[in-house]
Structures are given as C-alpha cells and as structure tokens.
Amino acid sequence: MFTNKEEFINEFELRIAEMYGRSVEQSHRTEKYMALGEMVREYASLNWKATKEEVAKNEDKQMFYFSMEFLIGRLLTNNLMNLGIYNTVKEGLQELGIDINELEDLESDAGLGNGGLGRLAACFLDSLASLQLPGNGNCIRYQYGLFRQKIDQEGNQVEVPDQWLKLGNIWEVRKPKHAVNVKFWGHVNVSQDQEGRFHFDHVDAENILAVPYDMPVVGKGTKETNTLRLWSAEASDILPSNKDFRKYLAEVQEICLNVYPDDSTPEGKILRLKQQYFFVCAGLNAIIRAHLRVYPNLDNLVDKVAIQLNDTHPVLAIPELMRILMDDYGYEWMDAWNMVVKVMAYTNHTILQEALEKWPVDYIRNLLPRIYMIIEEINNRFQNKIAIEYPGDSDMAHRVEIIRDDQVHMANLAVIGSHSINGVAKIHSEIIKRDLFKDFVKIYPERFNNKTNGITQRRWLYYSNPQLTKLITNTIGSDFIDDFEKIEELMNHVDDKNLQQEFLHVKQQRKEILVEEIKNRTGILVDSTSIFDVQAKRLHAYKRQLLNVLHIIYQYQRIKSDPTYTIHPRTYIFAAKAAPAYVFAKKVIKLINKLSVVINNDPAVKGMIKVVFIPNYSVSLAEVLMNAADVSEQISTAGKEASGTGNMKFMMNGAITLGTLDGANVEIDELVGRENDVIFGLTVEEVAALKPYYRARNYYDNDPRIHNAIDSLVDGTWSSDPNEFKVIVDDLLYRNDEYLVLADFDAYVKAQEVIEQKYLNKEEWAKSCLVNVAKSHFFSSDRTIRQYAEDIWHIRPIKI
Ligand SMILES: *Cc1c(COP(=O)(O)O)cnc(C)c1O
C-alpha cells in the first residue's frame, strides 16, 4: 500500500492501466473514480482482515446492529479522512491534474433509509469503528435507495428512482460463500421422535438465496475496521416446483428493489414483511455460522453476541433466533428463551400510534408458518406468567398481549423478547415509560433505559465544516479532534470579541457556499447577509413545517399591509421529502414552493423575505445546509419527536435552536441555557391538558393573523385554483388541527421576534453560537455508543 504521494501516483497509474488498459490522461472521470475507490477499499481491507482475526483470537464479544435502514451518504471523503490519507491522495491527484472534489462528487449517496432513524444507524457505525468497538451493521442491499425528489413547474414533488448502484458500489465485496437460504410460505410438519421430542419441518417452502455484500467501516485514527453487511436476494438452487420460473424470479427481485418510502405508516404489507424477515433470517444465520467457526457450540452465544434492534422492523429476529436454537440446534424452549432475551435489545423510536407496527395474523402465519407458531407460544407463555403474577387483572393481560385483535403487535414482542428497551432522548424515554409501555414497566422495570441519540462529529463537523474546525483548532488546539469532550474548552473563549468576529466570518463563508449550492439547485439567488432560517427534515404533520409556513404568510401579509413594518432580511430555507402517498405532506411542499414564487417576486417585500425549497434532501445536501444555518427550526408538537438528530447537527455548527421542549431539544436547552436558544410553545404536559378541550376554530375566529393567513390558502393568493390547498385548511379547521399548530402560533411569532432581536446584537449572537458549539460534545454519537457499549452490549475496545 502507498505511504506517500509518489507511491500513490505510481499505484494509481498502474491501477488505471490494469483496470481499463489506458493511461490516466485518456481515462474517463468515472474510471478514475472507480480506480481510486478500489484502491481505498483495498487499503481498508488489510485492516479489515486484521480486525476479524483479532476478534476471533481474543474471543471478543461483538455487537450486530440490525436496522432496515442505513442512511450512509457518501463514503469517499469520509474513508480517506478516517484512514488519514486524504491529503496524500488529494495532492497525488492534483499532480496528475485531477481535482479530488470532482471525483468526490461522482459518488452517489447510499440512501438506504428514510431519515433520522437510518442516519442514526450510520453515525453509530462510524462511532463504533472509531472507538475500536467490534460492532457491525446488518441491512438490505436495496437496488434503489429512497426516491430522488424533483420539483415540477407547479411546485409538486415528483419521485424519481434513486439509481445509486449505476456506477457500481466501490465499497462492497460480494460474499457468495456466506449465502443463506431463506424460506417463505409452505407449511410446518410436526413429528415426534422416539425420545418424545418434537420436530418441526418447514415443507413446500419457497426458497430464496440471501447473498451478502460486505462494506468495510473504517474508524478514524484506528486500524479497527468493522463490517456493514447488506443482503441481496437471488434465486435459490431449490426452485419452487409449482411456480413459473419468471414469476418466481420477479418475486425474488422485488424483495430488495427499494427502501420503503414511508417511515410512518406500514403499507404494501406483505412485501415489507418479506423484507424484514429476509434480512433478519440471513443476518442471524450468518452470525450463528460464524460463531460455530470459532467455538464448538452455541452455549456461550450470549457472551459473544449482542444484537440491537433498531425500532421494531427487525423484531422477527426474536422468534427467528428461537427457531434456530430449538429447531436447528436442539435447545429446549426455556434455555433458548433465556439466551434470546440476553442477546436482544430494542430501541424504540416513536410513540405515534400510526407508526407502531402491527401485522395481521394471517400474513405472518402464511408467509412464515414456523415463526408464527413461535410467536404464538411466546405470547401464550407470557400470558400465563401475567395470569400468575397479576391475578385478577385481566385488562393488563389484554394490554400486553402480542397477538391481539388478530394482529401481531411488534413493539410488545420486542419488549418481551429483549433484556433492554431504550428510548432515544431523556423526555422520550420518560414518555414511553409513562404511556406506551407503562404495563411493561411494572413487569420488567430493570429493562427500561435512555440512550440519547448522537451524531458523528467527524462527518458533521470536521469533514463538512473544515472552516469552523480550523477556527476551533486555532483557538483551543487540536486535542478536541480525538477527544471531543475537550471542545468544551471553547467556553473559556466565548466572550473573546476577536473569536466572535472570526466565528461570524466562518459562518459567512459557509453561507456563501450554500448560496452557490442554492443557485445551482434552484436558480434562486439569496442574500448571504440575511438570516438563514432553516427547517430541513422529513415532511410530516407533527414536525409542523406548516407552523413555519403560516408565520411566513403572516409576515408577508404584514409587510404588504403596513408600510412602516420592517424586518431584518430573512431567508427561509426548507428541505424535505414527503412519503409519496402522504397527501397532506405533499400539499405543504407545494405550498412552500408557491410561497417561494409569489414572495420572492413581489417587489413590495423589498428583499426582506425570501423563501427557498431545496429539492432532494439527503445526507450530502445536509452536509452543506446545516453548517450554513443561523437558525435551526425544531418546532414539533411537544411529545411527538422522539429525539431528532438534525437539531444536533445544527447546534454543533453554531446555529441557534428555535424549538419546542421536545425530544433532544430539551437536553440542548439544559446544556446551553435559555439565553443561548429560543424555546417556545406548549410543553408535553400542557399539550395533554389542552387536547380534550381544544377547538382550533376559536384560534381562527379570535386571532386575525391566523384568520388572514388561513384565508389566503383558499383565496387565490398562492394558487389560481382556490381548492388547491383546501386539504390544509380542512386539516386545521375541520379536523381540529391534530398537532396544535394554531395553539402554538402566537408563541411562535413572539419567539421569532426574539430571534431577530438577538441576531441584531452580533456579538451576543456569536457568543451564543459559540456556546452551542462548545456544548455539543454531549451530542456526539461517541458518547451515545459508549453508553450502549457499557450498559447494554458489554463490549470492549479491541487492540490491533
Ligand atoms: C439528520 C438527518 C435527518 C434527521 O433529521 P431530523 O430533523 O432529526 O428529523 C433526516 N434526513 C437526513 C438526510 C439527515 O441527515
């Protein structure tokens, strides 16, 4: 492997010649990119091999993170940086006349997820490797990632397939040797042998071959290299006898075709269920086989393997591991069950009723007959336990049932089959204990805990914001790079006027980079000296982009009607994808785009407001968006956002949070203090108290600002078709505004005024931003992962 620039150049030239039979000069850009990618992967592979050998030799316990989603983004920069060879490669390429940025831009985002949940999994992988912890990902190799979003002439979201594999995935290695057979459909024959033991034979099943593609996960400043294993469905050698081959093949290909473009409501159920079992079954069987290559049997499995279930999507791992232990390896029920519970841990990500997974009994019984038998047995045994421990409380027994009203309740299965259940922010963990899982807290109080989410400062600060990283280094030295808690030393300098000026200068640089990006992506020119007020996240009613929109409409109307009213120029920036079937969310996107056209082109506004919707929110967009923000909009209805991680990315880059006391905003507020953020709106308790009496109509009738803003939605201001935005009005007034947008409107207007006042005092503003940066180490996923490793997984750093 190359160790300096000259060696890199030689190897690169050789590689291009070997792969494409050409000189570097004659090779195409994509060929250069592929060659470089291959070199970097090989570079990582040496450490990969060493890591695996070391784990086996030391008999270390390993963790496997089972997640339907890994929103990884691009890896070239990240891997070059983490490997510490970025500058060598950059300079080598430069000498060959190649701009490394051009090659970086050729990489497609690995968009194997919807949003926060998938990005969390990706940040966790980076932290695991960087902390030298043996922790691996298990997921699906989706042919297409989450759709790419385009905006048409009318402002509508248009979904375009995300062909992320078009150039191939330079990071993956196909491992056909480790393929696993996965069985669907068919039925189970039960028989008894001479010793009276039962045997379960899954017959007439449709077999599908799961083939793993492994991606190395390289940590920073370590040789430790973990694995993200992505499973791909292929035709099995055992073909179904009763089905046309082409039909079978189409069904096989469908399994990994795409990411489910909906993170709130389960749809297309059977296929989604297939996906879930597919990657869980494959992942578990591979883990068992790997274990048996090192150890004589599975008796010590719980000492060597921990599995974290990211939400309920992979919860079939619980009955599947039972199946493997009992049917394949002869363990008795109780022994198997004790092992399963010790291996499994579950993370809850939502309390939204519509997002809690429930499967019709028929679906599971038909698609996964043996798994269904096991779920039934888990349910029966648990019901017996409750009958004994809580005699007379039949209501409790009913509430904790896994199978209830002909549906399988996955969250209940998860809680019963895991030794640890965690929420993802302090307030969220309290809410799930108080509401969603309150019965289970009585039964298993010791299982519940909190692990506040985090983000990797490497991607979200060092690599995406080198300007700020350099400023911090110049101020407190570079120790914080490897020991991120040290960034708090910045607190000793937040009053330094010079530093405040330099911070504002860095922010200005980042804003100008975003201005360029906005121009390229939308054609809109924005003023980099205006306040950049950013709301970037999935579009969902509970996240209340609509509250932001109503406030913009109010300001716009006020500017038009009151010539003396002026505000500091503000650019309202949105980025959000809506689930394709989510009508309300798509209307809000359209409305934002209409606002943008009307307001940006209205001379009466005198440049005081601009509205920008940047299409196709993704990790690579977030990398230029978050660090250019002045204001971070985190305005969900209190109690609805489990944690949020976008809020952390903004904070780490010195944006001021404008938020409700929801999710991790609560902890941000505790850390930075009320003078360094702007908190508004109903609290969780106030929401609960108001709900039974809430009448949205009263707010419309009594507050002319609300009245006028809502009326504008149906009077042709934003669309020549007055019915265009009627669904939004209906949602607010006739469906009584489920997320209390109108109830928080007044508080939000006032909070926005506070933001402006604060911003006008530049030095105080810069100081607040610096406090946010200094306190952000708490939201490093390194902190989160250390807590998981210590409290739940019991894994230790490995030394190579
Ligand atoms: C961080 C991130 C999210 C999560 O944002 P929230 O504001 O926490 O909902 C979603 N999508 C992408 C691309 C992200 O980078």
Side-chain angles (χ1 to χ4, degrees):
M1 275 299 138
F2 56 92
T3 55
N4 58 43
K5 187 175 71 180
E6 283 66 38
E7 286 175 22
F8 168 77
I9 292 173
N10 288 337
E11 263 190 54
F12 188 69
E13 285 175 327
L14 188 65
R15 180 73 54 134
I16 295 259
E18 283 171 356
M19 284 172 73
Y20 303 106
R22 302 192 197 212
S23 69
V24 170
E25 246 171 35
Q26 286 171 328
S27 66
H28 191 261
R29 236 169 11 142
T30 57
E31 291 170 341
K32 296 181 181 110
Y33 163 74
M34 303 289 284
L36 176 62
E38 205 162 280
M39 282 172 70
V40 179
R41 196 194 63 231
E42 276 177 25
Y43 199 103
S45 288
L46 294 178
N47 298 337
W48 209 2
K49 176 165 168 284
T51 303
K52 287 172 192 163
E53 286 168 357
E54 201 61 23
V55 169
K57 191 181 88 201
N58 298 333
E59 307 193 345
D60 288 312
K61 186 175 186 183
Q62 286 178 277
M63 189 282 295
F64 297 86
Y65 200 78
F66 276 39
S67 177
M68 279 281 269
E69 303 185 16
F70 280 86
L71 196 55
I72 302 164
R74 293 171 170 167
L75 282 175
L76 182 57
T77 317
N78 185 79
N79 287 354
L80 287 169
M81 290 282 195
N82 274 3
L83 289 166
I85 53 176
Y86 188 86
N87 284 332
T88 308
V89 168
K90 180 183 165 177
E91 284 160 20
L93 290 172
Q94 209 159 24
E95 205 142 300
L96 293 166
I98 303 165
D99 178 356
I100 192 169
N101 295 327
E102 273 186 26
L103 300 191
E104 288 168 319
D105 282 341
L106 283 178
E107 185 172 5
S108 304
D109 272 43
L112 311 182
N114 274 290
L117 175 149
R119 184 54 232 174
L120 182 76
C123 282
F124 280 3
L125 286 185
D126 186 65
S127 285
L128 282 161
S130 297
L131 296 173
Q132 294 177 255
L133 290 165
N136 309 287
N138 190 63
C139 187
I140 294 171
R141 182 176 182 270
Y142 300 101
Q143 191 80 35
Y144 298 91
L146 184 64
F147 66 87
R148 281 199 313 133
Q149 180 193 53
K150 294 203 165 161
I151 301 298
D152 71 11
Q153 282 296 314
E154 286 302 305
N156 298 299
Q157 164 175 300
V158 178
E159 300 98 30
V160 182
D162 168 44
Q163 305 186 39
W164 74 292
L165 288 170
K166 209 156 63 179
L167 285 183
N169 176 5
I170 52 177
W171 307 112
E172 69 188 13
V173 185
R174 183 183 149 91
K175 296 274 175 70
K177 193 177 76 159
H178 296 299
V180 172
N181 194 45
V182 181
K183 290 180 176 180
F184 293 113
W185 312 110
H187 53 270
V188 178
N189 283 342
V190 185
S191 58
Q192 218 171 356
D193 64 19
Q194 284 127 340
E195 282 102 61
R197 292 177 58 101
F198 286 100
H199 291 268
F200 300 87
D201 229 2
H202 189 172
V203 297
D204 297 334
E206 189 165 306
N207 290 273
I208 300 208
L209 196 67
V211 180
Y213 287 70
D214 287 355
M215 290 169 71
V217 181
V218 302
K220 180 172 186 302
T222 165
K223 287 187 157 53
E224 159 92 23
T225 306
N226 290 324
T227 303
L228 170 57
R229 177 159 276 188
L230 303 177
W231 294 95
S232 184
E234 294 184 12
S236 162
D237 289 339
I238 317 159
L239 292 173
S241 52
N242 54 353
K243 198 175 258 170
D244 175 55
F245 179 67
R246 291 205 332 219
K247 183 156 190 294
Y248 166 71
L249 208 59
E251 282 178 17
V252 170
Q253 282 164 353
E254 211 181 7
I255 295 176
C256 299
L257 199 63
N258 57 337
V259 175
Y260 247 82
D262 196 335
D263 48 6
S264 58
T265 52
E267 272 169 9
K269 288 178 186 266
I270 293 270
L271 181 56
R272 171 129 175 133
L273 187 60
K274 261 191 181 175
Q275 288 188 330
Q276 295 189 351
Y277 183 67
F278 173 77
F279 91 103
V280 154
C281 168
L284 277 175
N285 279 280
I287 289 169
I288 296 293
R289 277 196 228 152
H291 184 91
L292 291 174
R293 281 197 294 272
V294 182
Y295 308 101
N297 57 47
L298 297 175
D299 290 352
N300 64 343
L301 188 72
V302 302
D303 302 322
K304 302 301 168 192
V305 171
I307 293 177
Q308 190 70 35
L309 306 171
N310 196 25
D311 212 321
T312 52
H313 319 141
V315 162
L316 290 172
I318 291 167
E320 172 64 10
L321 185 54
M322 285 299 286
R323 189 197 66 74
I324 294 171
L325 292 174
M326 295 189 305
D327 297 2
D328 297 350
Y329 294 96
Y331 285 86
E332 298 291 340
W333 180 281
M334 278 315 292
D335 295 331
W337 181 249
N338 287 334
M339 290 165 75
V340 167
V341 173
K342 282 189 186 131
V343 167
M344 300 294 173
Y346 156 63
T347 303
N348 174 277
H349 283 271
T350 185
I351 52 163
L352 296 182
Q353 268 308 316
E354 67 270 27
L356 288 171
E357 282 194 303
K358 301 175 200 73
W359 296 106
V361 159
D362 283 354
Y363 289 15
I364 301 194
R365 195 164 43 200
N366 293 334
L367 186 68
L368 308 164
R370 178 62 182 135
I371 293 300
Y372 184 73
M373 293 170 78
I374 293 170
I375 294 174
E376 223 172 15
E377 183 65 17
I378 294 172
N379 189 44
N380 289 341
R381 288 181 184 239
F382 187 66
Q383 286 289 310
N384 290 341
K385 171 186 156 78
I386 297 305
I388 293 165
E389 290 174 18
Y390 300 87
D393 196 348
S394 63
D395 208 50
M396 156 98 136
H398 184 62
R399 287 194 304 268
V400 297
E401 268 178 327
I402 299 169
I403 303 169
R404 192 202 317 154
D405 306 330
D406 258 343
Q407 291 193 307
V408 179
H409 292 245
M410 300 305 276
N412 290 3
L413 177 57
V415 172
I416 293 165
S418 304
H419 70 282
S420 163
I421 298 113
N422 74 284
V424 288
K426 209 156 48 172
I427 190 172
H428 168 66
S429 295
E430 283 162 17
I431 291 172
I432 63 176
K433 281 202 282 185
R434 204 174 55 213
D435 300 336
L436 187 59
F437 294 137
K438 72 166 180 292
D439 295 309
F440 289 112
V441 171
K442 286 190 207 134
I443 305 166
Y444 302 123
E446 73 292 347
R447 291 189 180 185
F448 289 85
N449 64 90
N450 171 246
K451 296 287 169 284
T452 299
N453 282 167
I455 57 169
T456 166
Q457 70 275 14
R458 289 166 288 276
R459 180 177 293 263
W460 295 108
L461 177 59
Y462 308 160
Y463 307 156
S464 54
N465 194 348
Q467 295 84 353
L468 182 56
T469 306
K470 182 153 172 253
L471 177 61
I472 302 167
T473 307
N474 290 346
T475 310
I476 60 170
S478 59
D479 287 357
F480 77 97
I481 297 273
D482 290 322
D483 184 0
F484 194 51
E485 284 182 25
K486 291 223 165 81
I487 198 170
E488 183 137 5
E489 282 175 25
L490 209 51
M491 284 304 287
N492 300 326
H493 305 267
V494 295
D495 287 308
D496 178 344
K497 301 280 178 251
N498 216 356
L499 178 63
Q500 291 168 1
Q501 283 309 318
E502 284 178 297
F503 173 81
L504 294 173
H505 178 67
V506 163
K507 185 60 85 177
Q508 187 61 29
Q509 284 181 300
R510 292 309 316 184
K511 286 166 82 168
E512 276 156 23
I513 291 168
L514 181 60
V515 167
E516 200 51 35
E517 196 69 32
I518 291 173
K519 193 174 83 191
N520 293 338
R521 291 187 189 227
T522 69
I524 299 173
L525 296 178
V526 302
D527 171 7
S528 66
T529 64
S530 64
I531 302 174
F532 278 17
D533 181 323
V534 184
Q535 187 168 17
K537 48 181 75 248
R538 282 300 288 261
L539 212 138
H540 203 291
Y542 83 81
K543 292 177 184 274
R544 298 201 297 191
Q545 280 92 353
L546 188 55
L547 178 57
N548 192 342
V549 164
L550 289 178
H551 172 258
I552 296 169
I553 294 177
Y554 152 70
Q555 273 194 331
Y556 173 65
Q557 291 179 331
R558 184 148 176 212
I559 289 172
K560 301 242 325 162
S561 63
D562 176 0
T564 65
Y565 178 67
T566 58
I567 56 170
H568 190 281
R570 178 109 53 140
T571 304
Y572 293 101
I573 301 170
F574 293 85
K577 289 179 182 176
Y582 193 169
V583 176
F584 172 85
K586 291 177 103 171
K587 279 291 178 195
V588 174
I589 289 177
K590 183 163 192 172
L591 178 56
I592 295 168
N593 282 303
K594 292 290 187 186
L595 248 58
S596 175
V597 172
V598 173
I599 294 176
N600 297 0
N601 294 304
D602 187 340
V605 174
K606 299 199 214 73
M608 283 188 281
I609 309 180
K610 277 230 164 127
V611 179
V612 179
F613 185 93
I614 312 178
N616 201 37
Y617 186 47
S618 57
V619 172
S620 48
L621 175 58
E623 284 165 6
V624 289
L625 186 52
M626 308 313 222
N627 56 40
D630 297 308
V631 180
S632 159
E633 297 268 359
Q634 307 300 335
I635 59 179
S636 52
T637 317
K640 299 296 180 190
E641 186 75 86
S643 163
T645 48
N647 45 4
M648 302 168 187
K649 299 167 201 164
F650 284 107
M651 176 208 189
M652 195 176 277
N653 285 278
I656 301 301
T657 304
L658 168 54
T660 48
L661 284 176
D662 199 16
N665 299 353
V666 175
E667 287 155 89
I668 291 178
D669 181 53
E670 281 170 8
L671 282 163
V672 303
R674 202 53 68 89
E675 62 283 10
N676 298 307
D677 59 16
V678 178
I679 298 296
F680 75 98
L682 298 167
T683 61
V684 171
E685 291 73 23
E686 288 163 351
V687 165
L690 176 61
K691 263 273 158 173
Y693 310 101
Y694 185 60
R695 272 197 76 231
R697 186 90 209 181
N698 287 348
Y699 293 82
Y700 173 78
D701 290 340
N702 297 324
D703 187 334
R705 300 168 302 180
I706 291 177
H707 198 111
N708 294 336
I710 290 183
D711 282 358
S712 81
L713 300 180
V714 284
D715 71 0
T717 306
W718 312 111
S719 168
S720 48
D721 173 4
N723 285 325
E724 180 74 76
F725 300 116
K726 193 158 172 303
V727 269
I728 296 176
V729 177
D730 287 350
D731 199 77
L732 291 173
L733 298 185
Y734 303 110
R735 275 191 293 283
N736 204 31
D737 183 19
E738 185 180 354
Y739 295 104
L740 305 178
V741 173
L742 304 187
D744 270 341
F745 180 82
D746 179 62
Y748 183 61
V749 172
K750 293 194 171 103
Q752 282 285 20
E753 285 163 7
V754 174
I755 285 281
E756 171 152 335
Q757 286 314 308
K758 279 183 179 287
Y759 190 83
L760 293 178
N761 185 341
K762 283 292 189 149
E763 288 177 348
E764 281 299 308
W765 180 268
K767 177 184 168 180
S768 282
C769 296
L770 287 163
V771 171
N772 273 272
V773 176
K775 296 286 184 181
S776 68
H777 60 83
F778 179 76
F779 298 106
S780 164
S781 46
D782 292 357
R783 187 269 310 150
T784 314
I785 284 296
R786 280 195 189 97
Q787 292 178 334
Y788 274 96
E790 188 145 312
D791 301 345
I792 303 176
W793 303 329
H794 309 296
I795 55 174
R796 281 196 300 271
I798 55 176
K799 302 272 177 300
I800 304 173

